Amino acid sequence: MKISAEIKAAARAWWVRLDSSKLSPNDHAEFTRWLAADPLHRQAYDQLRELWGTLDAIAPRMTIPATSKPKPAFWRWQWALPALAGGCLALWMFNPLWTILRADFHTGFGERRDVHLSDGSTLHLNSNSALDVNIDGVQRQLTLLQGEAWFEVSPDKARPFRVNTQHGSVTALGTAFNVRLRDGKTEVSVTQHSVAVDLEQADGKALHTVVAEGQQISYSAESGLGNLQNIDSQAVTAWQRGKLVFENRPLGEVLAELNRYHRGFLLINDAELAQRRVNGVFRTDQALSVLAALETSLQLRSTRFGDYLIVLHR
């Protein structure tokens, strides 16, 4: 029998929860009951464990092969030089000094930071992120300047807890939510209770919506509010446990994610290769080992300019 999308989603949720090592005895008992309830549950979980577990195991063991000198063939430099130029341009634009100067808290590549705020709230900053905080007796205004953060909010009806980005604002209506700047948009994922999202479109129209627990939305002034999506909260916050979770994601997206944790540039100069699908759970502190695992599993090659510019190709 075909395994349904619902069963696959449940298996994925259990895999991520078990990987977090934070399950109680009751959670383990519930997992055992779920496995026994339907043979397809066991089949879906075993398939997921085999696929993700294999890729996850490759990364810690993989060593980076010695860099060989590229052949002086014109075709290779024809695509390598634009990639090098693009990498240099990105290096110049990436993580500008003014962002750091504006931020009260920031993190470097591969660094995560927990901050306890004066109002009793806690924020968790992901890699290469920057946040400005303005909390006083009458307001709680925070601005995410770069990257990603997860907020655990202390209740205070007199002072709404609001996170601003260049695209709009998020106001806490409950406890916990994740905010990420991604692809020119703000992405909000709610892990507990709900939040209100407000923005003004480029045409001046004000938009407002409420995002409930287990939902996600992306928005910007240009594109407005996106559609609400259901999420796996454990997968969204896997970065807090030092994990990256990919399920049927394009290789181009995976490399973009790895670049957030690597002080350098991992590139691909082939639109077809960028659409190759990737499944796996990887560690955030081993970007180069993850890249080596991807090369092995997808049968790719790489041209390396040290560890700071690596281009994947056939």
Side-chain angles (χ1 to χ4, degrees):
M1 294 181 63
K2 185 179 179 180
I3 302 175
S4 68
E6 290 77 13
I7 291 178
K8 290 181 179 179
R12 181 176 69 252
W14 276 117
W15 200 99
V16 174
R17 290 178 65 186
L18 289 167
D19 182 65
S20 70
S21 302
K22 294 182 179 180
L23 266 65
S24 67
N26 289 337
D27 291 330
H28 281 284
E30 182 183 349
F31 172 63
T32 300
R33 288 193 295 270
W34 178 82
L35 283 180
D38 188 328
L40 291 180
H41 292 182
R42 168 69 70 175
Q43 184 179 347
Y45 185 79
D46 286 345
Q47 289 178 359
L48 197 66
R49 182 178 59 181
E50 180 180 358
L51 177 62
W52 285 4
T54 298
L55 287 174
D56 194 31
I58 292 174
R61 297 198 305 265
M62 186 66 64
T63 56
I64 305 301
T67 304
S68 59
K69 294 183 178 180
K71 296 180 180 179
F74 175 74
W75 68 268
R76 180 175 297 238
W77 289 107
Q78 192 174 27
W79 58 258
L81 287 177
L84 178 61
C88 292
L89 177 62
L91 182 63
W92 178 75
M93 297 176 63
F94 197 68
N95 198 18
L97 179 61
W98 66 266
T99 299
I100 300 301
L101 293 176
R102 290 175 60 196
D104 290 304
F105 305 102
H106 62 87
T107 53
F109 290 94
E111 179 188 3
R112 299 192 305 275
R113 183 176 182 184
D114 298 334
V115 179
H116 300 288
L117 302 176
S118 60
D119 70 326
S121 300
T122 301
L123 65 90
H124 309 266
L125 277 181
N126 199 357
S127 171
N128 195 34
S129 299
L131 185 79
D132 178 64
V133 176
N134 184 9
I135 295 179
D136 56 31
V138 297
Q139 65 177 345
R140 296 189 292 176
Q141 297 277 350
L142 297 85
T143 302
L144 183 63
L145 304 169
Q146 178 175 289
E148 180 175 22
W150 185 56
F151 303 90
E152 294 180 284
V153 181
S154 177
D156 186 342
K157 293 183 179 180
R159 295 183 300 166
F161 189 96
R162 184 169 290 115
V163 179
N164 303 298
T165 71
Q166 65 191 80
H167 308 118
S169 67
V170 185
T171 303
L173 303 177
T175 306
F177 59 97
N178 196 83
V179 181
R180 175 177 176 177
L181 298 177
R182 179 177 185 175
D183 299 330
K185 297 182 179 181
T186 295
E187 179 185 274
V188 177
S189 306
V190 181
T191 55
Q192 291 183 15
H193 301 293
S194 60
V195 302
V197 172
D198 294 275
L199 71 149
E200 182 176 313
Q201 288 193 135
D203 60 7
K205 182 180 179 181
L207 299 178
H208 171 86
T209 192
V210 173
V211 186
E213 181 174 327
Q215 291 184 327
Q216 180 184 88
I217 195 169
S218 296
Y219 57 90
S220 71
E222 291 74 23
S223 61
L225 292 169
N227 296 323
L228 288 171
Q229 306 286 339
N230 293 325
I231 58 167
D232 181 339
S233 297
Q234 291 291 325
V236 168
T237 59
W239 61 266
Q240 296 179 37
R241 303 185 299 277
K243 298 286 186 178
L244 296 174
V245 179
F246 303 118
E247 184 189 13
N248 197 32
R249 295 273 295 276
L251 177 60
E253 285 188 22
V254 173
L255 290 187
E257 189 72 13
L258 289 176
N259 274 318
R260 301 177 63 208
Y261 300 90
H262 175 60
R263 188 175 292 279
F265 300 93
L266 312 177
L267 305 175
I268 186 167
N269 196 36
D270 186 316
E272 182 180 345
L273 286 182
Q275 294 304 313
R276 290 270 191 95
R277 315 313 282 187
V278 175
N279 294 276
V281 179
F282 303 110
R283 290 176 54 175
T284 58
D285 61 349
Q286 295 188 349
L288 293 181
S289 294
V290 174
L291 188 69
L294 292 173
E295 287 185 58
T296 300
S297 61
L298 299 178
Q299 298 182 346
L300 301 177
R301 301 170 60 194
S302 66
T303 296
R304 298 168 181 252
F305 301 86
D307 287 340
Y308 295 97
L309 178 59
I310 302 174
V311 184
L312 285 182
H313 54 89
R314 300 176 193 272

